[in-house]
Amino acid sequence: MAFTNLTFAFGSKLTSTQLNQIQGNFLALAEQQDDTPAMDGINHAYVSFFSNAQSQIIAAKNVSSVTFTGDATHSTYTVNFTVTFNSADYCTNFQALSKDGRSASVFNMMNSNKTTTTMDVYARLSNEKDTTGTNPQQMYVMAWESR
């Protein structure tokens, strides 16, 4: 359903047709359809995956696969998008969960080799006296760009 620019008189009762149009507008915004107003805060793609050398996807939007490309101590993963970004300058955000499921460690997550369709992401420990590579239990990667 396409986005419909709606106006209502203050205090008027909305018909079922108008309510359906409002619902359609919310759906169009959530799906980021071309005719909707720009909503820069909505992610373009995300993926949550088990990252202990598995790369098993838990949930995703516009991500076809995640491939483990690291080794036993360096968690490096390639995220493959099903959409093409306008440039490789899109914004990214990362989160990780430690191996034992508790936040006993602080992770420094970075990305590299960013293209319009793929991105490599890796995690390293960022504790006060330990910055070695590590494989967290689970990772979450999100990417978005301005339309």
Side-chain angles (χ1 to χ4, degrees):
M1 176 179 241
F3 187 86
T4 305
N5 194 10
L6 303 171
T7 57
F8 309 109
F10 178 78
S12 64
K13 291 184 180 180
L14 299 181
T15 66
S16 61
T17 300
Q18 291 169 319
L19 291 172
N20 286 334
Q21 289 173 324
I22 292 170
Q23 177 62 32
N25 283 352
F26 281 117
L27 182 61
L29 283 169
E31 293 176 348
Q32 296 180 288
Q33 295 177 8
D34 290 335
D35 60 344
T36 61
M39 299 284 291
D40 293 336
I42 298 175
N43 61 38
H44 198 57
Y46 70 83
V47 63
S48 175
F49 61 97
F50 291 116
S51 56
N52 197 3
Q54 300 176 47
S55 65
Q56 177 185 355
I57 293 177
I58 301 166
K61 171 187 170 185
N62 293 330
V63 172
S64 60
S65 65
V66 177
T67 306
F68 178 70
T69 56
D71 56 36
T73 57
H74 299 96
S75 62
T76 304
Y77 296 85
T78 299
V79 177
N80 298 292
F81 300 112
T82 58
V83 293
T84 302
F85 287 89
N86 292 325
S87 77
D89 293 331
Y90 50 90
C91 185
T92 55
N93 190 4
F94 317 98
Q95 295 177 355
L97 182 66
S98 64
K99 288 183 183 179
D100 58 6
R102 291 178 272 158
S103 30
S105 293
V106 177
F107 295 100
N108 180 20
M109 298 182 69
M110 300 291 289
N111 64 353
S112 61
N113 302 325
K114 239 171 44 167
T115 72
T116 58
T117 57
T118 65
M119 174 184 63
D120 290 345
V121 60
Y122 62 91
R124 304 291 184 265
L125 287 176
S126 191
N127 296 327
E128 185 176 345
K129 297 181 181 182
D130 187 3
T131 59
T132 58
T134 185
N135 274 310
Q137 180 182 13
Q138 187 175 337
M139 293 172 71
Y140 185 81
V141 177
M142 189 167 63
W144 63 95
E145 68 180 344
S146 295
R147 293 193 308 170

